[in-house]
DNA sequence: TTGTAAGCGTTATCAT
DNA sequence: ATGATAACGCTTACAA
């Protein structure tokens, strides 16, 4: 059997003071005599007292926890890269110095969407982060409607006033294309991501921005961020546009697929066709040739989301969007 | 401002019954007249009542949540494969039908170890899962000492009575070696994992088991599960044992590193040297040649841990060890 | 500066 | 079958 933890009451008796005083000491109130403070501190140590979370949040009306909501589809798409762990690591780091705990909620089934909403609505958490790749996801808004602070990863597509943290996908993609142009490439294609996801949309927009005004014609092949789709798209591209001499893939996985297709077709990378990816997952350094790619600071996304949420939970206002920079990492493939 | 949720009291007034009755209905007690049950249910819906977690667990002394504790070193080592996300997915799936929430705690700093212990000790969770790759980690035992149910992923090295869930690494490794022998390989080396981790130890033990009695001499090169270490180890192996015609790497990442080294040395895989990995991460299907490897059911580990914990939290006894099977997946590299 | 006491929203033990 | 009522452990006016 699990023995009951000592309560404030017991510490108070042990220290010969009132419950209120112990509470003050525990919570670091300055209005306690140094002498008594030490007295109480000793009793706390002696009895191994630890405040009861439930009791505390019952009276303070705060849960001291944030939820991280992961709609399953997104985690599946991004399964092979380190997005998910890296995001969590960033969040944890930022949460570390606070007393705030992280509650993980995966929306594995349709029913769980409702369950999550219920949970958040019940006031079990002081705020929620939604790692939603599908910009039209109604979940963030649904949560936000319950009055709980919510921040999303990735610009929401649906018209909604939920603050978000995103990376400069458009800028990164544009820079990638510029780089290809600067290297003298004249037939630059893109393998786009799914157009129901912000990441897919923005990276394609960046491609167009880079191509515009150069006199080159845009060449777009659809993909869904997976390696298979990249391989298929590249094969198709080689058939329809045999002159293609560069490709910007909207994900490293697709870039890898493209490289496989190119190798299969006997084209050398980057000699015949240059390839640039997006994400900078570990894999990028291990494909042959090493991948030139656009890096996004995943951990920073998590950290920024926490910072936003902390501000909001404290009743403060936050900017509706935080956009983190992306950087072009030059390696061998372009 | 966030409006306060309605309380039992208000629902009771709305339905014209007592607080106790509402509580009974909410908790599905059978001792309520069907008529009143419906009455109350309607009021609950009308007011949008959701039970207050803190109040409930204050009186029931249960938190309705489990902690997943991740000592940072392990997550770093396993960063590139999908161990961490897959584990969490399995846990979430098993937790889904229960009302139990998952609290994630990363031990990012030395100080956080203490913080985690404190938190668990405070009774904030009903049980803790520790994803501890380093078998000698004192954390599980420390947590267990607080009286909270604890279950570990991976057999603990330190002498301690914490129940654990592990996969049959030894058996998997042995099968891999047997397979190489069956294919006529005569100089089978292994690239071992770190010997302070159970996974490293067991996979090496399995290798020895497979080699024993075949008349072959064991050839062991040390590694640390990373691709770099695999590449280095393989290069070294080629120098010291040029006759080597097969290699069992204790991780897919190391196997990939080995393949790179082999290719660099002009050896063909599997023609000159067969390679078998361990883990079956996504990458295994995408390296060239596709990797023959030992698959471990990561999601099942998570699910099993939850099942153990649920039993323990309910006061039941669990077997001290659950060992899940591994399977040899045949592809191209061996 | 310290103590007293009134809740916070539930569940559970009694009576009825 | 239902309703009072007493906890559960803590914070926080308010009093002293």
């Amino acid at each position: 059997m699990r023995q009951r933890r000592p309560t404030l009451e017991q510490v108070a008796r042990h220290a010969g003071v009132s419950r209120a005083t112990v509470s003050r000491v525990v919570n670091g109130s300055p209005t306690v005599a140094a002498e008594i403070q030490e007295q109480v501190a000793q009793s706390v140590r002696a009895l191994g007292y630890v405040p009861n979370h439930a009791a505390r949040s019952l009276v303070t009306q705060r849960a001291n926890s944030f939820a991280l909501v992961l709609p399953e589809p997104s985690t599946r798409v991004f399964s092979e890269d380190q997005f998910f762990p890296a995001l969590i690591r960033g969040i944890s780091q930022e949460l570390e110095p606070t007393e705030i705990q992280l509650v993980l909620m995966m929306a594995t089934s349709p029913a769980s969407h409702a369950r999550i909403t219920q949970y958040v609505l019940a006031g079990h958490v002081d705020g929620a982060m939604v790692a939603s790749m599908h910009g039209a996801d109604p979940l963030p808004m649904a949560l936000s409607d319950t009055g709980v602070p919510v921040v999303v990863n990735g610009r929401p597509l649906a018209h909604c006033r939920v603050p978000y943290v995103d990376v400069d996908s458009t800028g990164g993609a544009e820079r990638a294309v510029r780089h290809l142009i600067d290297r003298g490439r004249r037939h630059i294609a893109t393998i786009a991501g799914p157009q129901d996801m912000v990441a897919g949309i923005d990276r394609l927009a960046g491609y167009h921005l880079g191509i515009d005004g150069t006199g080159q014609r845009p060449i777009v092949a659809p993909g869904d961020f997976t390696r298979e789709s990249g391989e298929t798209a590249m094969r198709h591209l080689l058939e329809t546009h045999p002159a293609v001499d560069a490709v910007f893939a909207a994900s490293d996985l697709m870039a890898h697929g493209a490289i496989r297709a190119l190798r299969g077709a006997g084209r050398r990378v980057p000699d015949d066709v240059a390839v640039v990816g997006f994400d900078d997952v570990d894999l990028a350094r291990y494909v042959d040739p090493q991948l030139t790619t656009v890096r996004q600071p995943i951990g920073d996304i998590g950290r920024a989301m926490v910072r936003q949420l902390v501000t909001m939970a404290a009743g403060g206002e936050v900017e509706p969007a935080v956009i983190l920079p992306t950087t072009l990492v030059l390696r061998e493939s372009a």
Side-chain angles (χ1 to χ4, degrees), chain A:
Chain A
M1 264 294 75
R2 180 134 144 243
Q3 62 181 339
R4 280 280 242 288
R5 307 298 332 157
T7 73
L8 260 196
E9 184 71 50
Q10 298 175 38
V11 177
R13 262 205 297 276
H14 186 275
V17 296
S18 79
R19 216 163 55 210
T21 300
V22 179
S23 174
R24 290 188 187 102
V25 173
V26 169
N27 293 288
S29 159
T31 77
V32 175
E35 197 176 311
I36 296 204
Q37 222 165 80
E38 178 54 27
Q39 173 94 315
V40 171
Q42 262 174 30
S43 297
V44 164
R45 272 194 301 274
L47 273 55
Y49 170 76
V50 179
N52 180 306
H53 187 222
R56 180 178 277 175
S57 70
L58 180 57
V59 52
T60 59
Q61 302 289 351
R62 281 185 295 102
N64 282 308
S65 63
F66 286 160
L68 173 59
V69 181
L70 300 165
E72 168 74 355
S74 66
T75 65
R76 190 158 46 218
V77 166
F78 281 80
S79 70
E80 191 174 347
D81 56 54
Q82 291 73 52
F83 190 84
F84 175 46
L87 185 72
I88 290 188
R89 185 151 326 149
I91 291 172
S92 295
Q93 281 173 3
E94 192 72 26
L95 241 29
E96 168 91 46
T98 73
E99 290 280 76
I100 300 169
Q101 293 304 325
L102 184 63
V103 177
L104 203 68
M105 315 200 74
M106 289 189 110
T108 49
S109 71
S112 55
H113 267 243
R115 199 175 51 88
I116 289 171
T117 312
Q118 276 283 301
Y119 187 83
V120 172
L121 190 139
H124 295 347
V125 294
D126 305 317
M129 295 169 266
V130 184
S132 177
M133 309 278 83
H134 286 85
D137 195 331
L139 193 59
M141 202 54 193
L143 293 180
S144 186
D145 282 343
T146 70
V148 182
V150 173
V151 53
V152 190
N153 158 38
R155 174 166 54 84
L157 284 180
H159 177 70
C160 81
R161 291 266 314 135
V162 179
Y164 66 91
V165 177
D166 207 346
V167 298
D168 180 20
S169 298
T170 311
E174 185 181 356
R175 231 166 301 130
V177 173
R178 287 266 172 75
H179 169 73
L180 291 169
I181 292 169
D182 291 348
R183 292 289 170 105
R185 305 292 169 163
R186 287 294 161 258
H187 302 277
I188 305 172
T190 188
I191 302 176
Q195 294 302 300
D196 64 333
M197 297 198 202
V198 205
I201 294 170
D202 287 359
R203 293 170 192 186
L204 178 55
Y207 164 80
H208 278 120
L209 244 44
I211 292 291
D212 277 1
T214 63
Q216 293 192 27
R217 269 198 321 136
I219 309 171
V220 180
D224 64 5
F225 284 147
T226 65
R227 180 152 21 202
E228 292 76 10
S229 75
E231 196 161 349
T232 307
M234 191 68 239
R235 268 200 295 264
H236 185 249
L237 236 27
L238 286 173
E239 284 172 18
T240 55
H241 300 263
V244 67
D245 62 1
V247 120
F248 164 64
S251 78
D252 285 348
L253 256 40
M254 291 198 299
H256 186 200
I259 289 176
R260 289 163 63 89
L262 287 166
R263 179 174 304 150
R267 311 279 184 115
R268 291 166 305 163
V269 178
D271 312 68
D272 301 328
V273 181
V275 176
V276 180
F278 201 114
D279 286 335
D280 195 25
V281 297
D282 279 6
L283 180 85
R285 294 201 310 281
Y286 293 105
V287 299
D288 179 26
Q290 290 186 26
L291 209 56
T292 288
T293 187
V294 181
R295 176 187 295 160
Q296 54 171 335
I298 303 175
D300 291 343
I301 296 176
R303 280 185 282 271
M305 291 208 291
V306 170
R307 276 196 297 271
Q308 298 283 78
L309 217 43
V310 166
T311 307
M312 294 168 77
E317 288 292 310
V318 300
E319 47 222 320
V322 172
I323 309 295
L324 302 173
T326 50
T327 51
L328 184 63
V329 181
L330 298 179
R331 296 209 181 87
E332 302 167 350
S333 69

